[in-house]
Amino acid sequence: MSTRNLSICMLAAAALYITSCKPKGTSNAVSGDAASKTYVAPGKYDEFYNFVSGGFSGQLAVYGLPSGRLLRVIPVFSVDPEKGWGYSEETKPMLNTSHGFVPWDDLHHVEMSMTDGVADGKWVFVNGNNTPRLARVDLKTFRTTEIIELPNSAGNHSSPFGTENSEYIVAGTRFSVPEDGEAGDVPISSYKENFKGHISFVSVDKNTGNMAIAFQLKTPGVNFDLARAGKGKSNGWFFFSCYNSEQANTLLEVNASQRDKDFIMAVNWKKAEEYVKAGKGKKQSIKYAHNKYNEETHTATSEMENEVTVLDVSEFPDIVYFIPCPKSPHGCDVDPTGEYIVGSGKLAALLPVFSYDKIQKAIAGKAFEPEKYAGLPVIKYEAALYGEVQKPGLGPLHTEFDANGNAYTSFFVSSEVVKWNIKDLKVLDRQPTYYSVGHLMIPGGNTKKPFGKYLVAYNKITKDRYLPTGPELAQSAQLYDISGDKMQLILDFPTIGEPHYAQAVPASLIKDKQLKIFDINNNKHPYATKGEGEAKVVRQGNQVHVYITAIRSHFAPDNIEGIQMGDEVYFHVTNLEQDWDVPHGFGVKGAANAELLVMPGETTTLKWTPDRTGIFPIYCTDFCSALHQEMQGYVRVSPKGSNVPLTYSLGDKLKNNPTTAK
């Protein structure tokens, strides 16, 4: 059968499966003890935090396991009116890019920070797939604290993947493109000559978490899908799945499936680092945004960086080696020992497992194919291969590992998870998913020491699983108990966005490190109001700055007059509470952006430009006390040039002479 016909048959099989009857055993797939295994009693905590990508929502969701309860949605790349993310003056800079303000993205993958190959509970790194970005979420506050744009990239899909001690978070481009700048104006038909892949090595400060692009590798113009760093014996290496080795630029479903095999690309990043330190990289002038949030000032800043260091791998052939892999590989996964690398060719009916030791032996012995790929060495398939898992299923995508020498692979076409032994490559168990599973996740399943116990499958299609909700149904996560010899499906729960990948860690690693309040005495926001006595209204030309406090259950001031049409009003709201879990909201009638959600001890700013004269209520939008409904006030807007004086008050304390900046 031709390559094209095989691809078409595989796709037809997928379509048939999705629209056909349920898999056998559906009615009794969940056994009677499932409820007891997932029940978390009122007042009790889940065992794991599960950080799940929000896909096209651009956000990160946090669920408890085993309950499946949604605990938090962390805004990252997309504006969020609930929390004012991207709407408040303090957070707007976080969504700045070289393209301007970009209030959305496509968040696919999640990576926990690690120490010695094990999650340490400090940070979560996530990728923005569309406008290439990396973000860092601080697990003391569950907030996004840093976002860095990635130049020379398009479709930041092969990202973010970390080294053993999070020295680097690594991001590979999905779409190979010409480098940024004037050189990018080339015919699309010149793909093979002018399109290149770039892999960004982003350094992470081990104390602060601050990120910086240390260097980029310029590679042949393939598409990078997923990646994993080596660990243990393979520490210092990175492994990327590559497709479109044909370097096609149109109708990829056919033209990028011509070759029998694509590649796993093995990168000696330690060697690349040595070359960069020796000054072998080339400086490239380029613009990209680097955004940081400061928890002391409660404000974000956006700085435009202007240079990256690029190492062209074609000039250093001892950095990159290609390993043939069944076509269109998705997952590229490294087992806990660092010895075995699993490639998942989506159009293959087997799973190849490569050996790190054999790869090193092949490199030393130059066991290469006679024909190089784009001038770089290609290791012979058999020279790198440990073995193949035969007939595991249809459409292998992604593999994770438990602590007992077993691997678990998702199969998109046959809608199942398959358990197999790494050493003897024998299939041990298979269980259906509902339906068309993409990624799966085992707590710690990508680390040196998996926690095991649970597996979560993230499914793209949920026909007949949930109550219908119009043309689009909820996306799905399914929880399996993997503590025994056989996997057991014990829970379905819906997720936000389109879930792609997730990572989970024991709750004990994070829960006792939470920041409960911001110490108001340490609030260094330039417009902080640390007590009601400091509340005031200041006019600066057509700008009016309202220094306003919130405490159960009133604002100070709560009556403001003398605002005029054409004024820009900045409400700088300081939450005076110093008690855990007592945020205050702030909203004003007719605001064209969003509300604010202000944490205890924090200051946040809402910009408001009134569009008409009249009385505008302000109020607390977050339930805070029995008198929450009474937590309100009024703003009077008069015509431009009005002689209504600028005044503000709380109770009968009228301020007739507010400060006017000179």
Side-chain angles (χ1 to χ4, degrees):
M1 182 181 291
S2 71
T3 299
R4 179 175 181 178
N5 288 339
L6 175 62
S7 301
I8 292 172
C9 286
M10 293 285 283
L11 293 172
L16 178 63
Y17 186 87
I18 290 167
T19 57
S20 65
C21 300
K22 301 178 186 179
K24 293 180 180 179
T26 299
S27 61
N28 59 3
V30 181
S31 59
D33 64 345
S36 64
K37 290 186 175 184
T38 61
Y39 180 68
V40 178
K44 299 297 182 182
Y45 293 149
D46 278 285
E47 187 178 354
F48 292 92
Y49 284 103
N50 185 25
F51 297 90
V52 183
S53 66
F56 39 65
S57 77
Q59 317 295 35
L60 179 66
V62 187
Y63 298 86
L65 293 180
S67 73
R69 297 181 295 199
L70 177 63
L71 304 177
R72 186 92 176 145
V73 175
I74 303 173
V76 184
F77 299 115
S78 298
V79 293
D80 179 11
E82 177 198 351
K83 302 174 185 69
W85 180 258
Y87 292 106
S88 71
E89 295 304 293
E90 289 80 6
T91 60
K92 285 178 182 178
M94 293 299 288
L95 301 183
N96 189 40
T97 74
S98 63
H99 303 276
F101 183 78
V102 178
W104 74 280
D105 216 310
D106 187 13
L107 195 161
H108 277 217
H109 302 128
V110 181
E111 180 83 352
M112 306 296 295
S113 59
M114 292 191 290
T115 299
D116 193 25
V118 179
D120 57 25
K122 290 183 179 179
W123 307 297
V124 178
F125 299 93
V126 295
N127 69 326
N129 191 29
N130 181 268
T131 303
R133 289 175 278 185
L134 288 180
R136 176 172 60 89
V137 175
D138 190 328
L139 291 182
K140 287 184 179 179
T141 59
F142 277 56
R143 284 179 162 184
T144 303
T145 56
E146 188 174 13
I147 297 177
I148 191 168
E149 189 180 2
L150 301 174
N152 294 324
S153 299
N156 175 36
H157 187 264
S158 185
S159 164
F161 301 106
T163 53
E164 199 167 88
N165 288 288
S166 295
E167 300 98 332
Y168 296 107
I169 297 297
V170 180
T173 184
R174 172 183 172 185
F175 308 105
S176 284
V177 291
E179 64 184 29
D180 288 352
E182 295 179 0
D185 183 15
V186 297
I188 297 173
S189 59
S190 69
Y191 186 109
K192 292 185 178 181
E193 295 77 29
N194 294 314
F195 287 49
K196 299 293 180 183
H198 281 79
I199 298 173
S200 300
F201 281 73
V202 178
S203 63
V204 179
D205 185 286
K206 65 179 180 180
N207 296 315
T208 65
N210 287 341
M211 301 187 294
I213 299 177
F215 60 92
Q216 293 185 318
L217 299 182
K218 183 191 291 187
T219 73
V222 296
N223 292 35
F224 295 110
D225 202 333
L226 295 177
R228 283 288 183 218
K231 55 179 74 81
K233 63 166 60 180
S234 56
N235 182 29
W237 286 76
F238 234 100
F239 303 93
F240 296 81
S241 60
C242 313
Y243 65 104
N244 192 23
S245 55
E246 296 84 353
Q247 297 187 338
N249 61 276
T250 184
L251 200 61
L252 263 62
E253 66 176 344
V254 174
N255 293 325
S257 302
Q258 298 300 305
R259 298 165 62 104
D260 287 335
K261 288 184 171 65
D262 284 298
F263 296 113
I264 298 296
M265 189 175 81
V267 176
N268 185 339
W269 67 262
K270 285 282 190 182
K271 179 66 70 174
E273 187 183 56
E274 289 175 11
Y275 282 131
V276 171
K277 289 179 178 178
K280 302 294 185 182
K282 296 177 181 178
K283 303 292 185 182
Q284 180 184 353
S285 295
I286 201 163
K287 282 178 58 178
Y288 59 98
H290 191 181
N291 311 327
K292 297 179 183 179
Y293 192 85
N294 185 314
E295 294 291 10
E296 290 185 340
T297 63
H298 307 302
T299 58
T301 56
S302 179
E303 179 183 358
M304 203 61 68
E305 307 274 5
N306 53 31
E307 185 179 80
V308 291
T309 299
V310 180
L311 205 64
D312 189 336
V313 301
S314 66
E315 300 174 9
F316 305 94
D318 57 346
I319 295 177
V320 168
Y321 302 88
F322 288 99
I323 305 167
C325 182
K327 64 175 63 180
S328 298
H330 185 63
C332 177
D333 301 289
V334 180
D335 88 305
T337 70
E339 166 62 15
Y340 303 105
I341 301 101
V342 182
S344 298
K346 299 194 297 289
L347 300 181
L350 55 80
L351 273 176
V353 180
F354 301 101
S355 160
Y356 174 75
D357 286 343
K358 293 188 72 173
I359 291 169
Q360 297 307 304
K361 183 178 179 181
I363 292 171
K366 299 188 183 303
F368 302 142
E369 295 287 353
E371 184 179 349
K372 294 183 176 182
Y373 181 77
L376 296 168
V378 178
I379 298 173
K380 291 182 177 179
Y381 180 72
E382 294 77 10
L385 185 70
Y386 171 74
E388 297 173 338
V389 182
Q390 297 294 324
K391 299 181 180 179
L394 294 176
L397 286 186
H398 176 220
T399 299
E400 294 223 335
F401 307 90
D402 65 18
N404 303 311
N406 300 311
Y408 300 75
T409 302
S410 58
F411 288 84
F412 180 82
V413 176
S414 52
S415 290
E416 59 185 334
V417 175
V418 175
K419 175 182 179 180
W420 50 279
N421 183 268
I422 301 170
K423 288 293 180 66
D424 64 21
L425 307 179
K426 300 296 184 184
V427 172
L428 303 175
D429 188 28
R430 61 179 72 239
Q431 290 295 327
T433 61
Y434 307 96
Y435 306 94
S436 297
V437 59
H439 282 277
L440 50 78
M441 183 280 300
I442 293 171
N446 69 308
T447 72
K448 290 168 69 173
K449 296 180 180 179
F451 301 104
K453 190 170 183 178
Y454 298 117
L455 178 150
V456 184
Y458 297 96
N459 306 323
K460 307 303 181 187
I461 295 172
T462 59
K463 292 178 181 177
D464 70 43
R465 301 304 291 178
Y466 304 120
L467 286 171
T469 52
E472 184 188 22
L473 305 178
Q475 270 80 41
S476 165
Q478 293 191 302
L479 179 68
Y480 295 78
D481 179 352
I482 59 170
S483 59
D485 291 336
K486 298 294 184 180
M487 296 177 283
Q488 180 191 5
L489 175 62
I490 56 176
L491 183 69
D492 268 5
F493 60 96
T495 65
I496 69 165
E498 182 190 7
H500 287 263
Y501 183 47
Q503 289 197 350
V505 294
S508 58
L509 194 63
I510 297 174
K511 71 180 182 65
D512 296 330
K513 300 176 183 178
Q514 299 300 290
L515 180 71
K516 297 183 177 180
I517 63 169
F518 294 101
D519 185 346
I520 196 162
N521 296 311
N522 296 329
N523 183 335
K524 297 179 182 178
H525 191 288
Y527 293 96
T529 308
K530 298 184 180 181
E532 291 185 3
E534 299 178 15
K536 58 187 176 182
V537 179
V538 177
R539 176 177 287 282
Q540 296 176 319
N542 73 326
Q543 292 186 354
V544 177
H545 294 270
V546 181
Y547 295 70
I548 185 170
T549 63
I551 195 167
R552 288 167 287 185
S553 296
H554 63 269
F555 293 108
D558 63 3
N559 280 207
I560 302 168
E561 299 189 36
I563 305 297
Q564 299 183 11
M565 288 295 294
D567 284 345
E568 293 179 347
V569 183
Y570 294 85
F571 293 99
H572 307 290
V573 185
T574 300
N575 183 347
L576 296 181
E577 308 284 357
Q578 291 289 268
D579 192 7
W580 190 23
D581 195 29
V582 189
H584 285 295
F586 180 83
V588 57
K589 178 187 175 183
N593 38 27
E595 62 173 332
L596 297 178
L597 188 61
V598 193
M599 297 299 116
E602 183 182 39
T603 301
T604 306
T605 302
L606 180 71
K607 179 182 177 181
W608 176 58
T609 304
D611 66 344
R612 66 196 67 180
T613 61
I615 302 298
F616 294 81
I618 58 175
Y619 68 104
C620 178
T621 58
D622 191 271
F623 188 89
C624 57
S625 72
L627 297 177
H628 166 71
Q629 289 292 95
E630 284 75 13
M631 192 169 176
Q632 66 178 56
Y634 297 99
V635 178
R636 178 184 175 187
V637 178
S638 300
K640 187 174 181 63
S642 168
N643 60 5
V644 176
L646 186 63
T647 60
Y648 58 96
S649 65
L650 175 65
D652 59 357
K653 298 177 181 179
L654 181 67
K655 300 290 186 180
N656 289 311
N657 298 301
T659 303
T660 300
K662 302 295 185 184

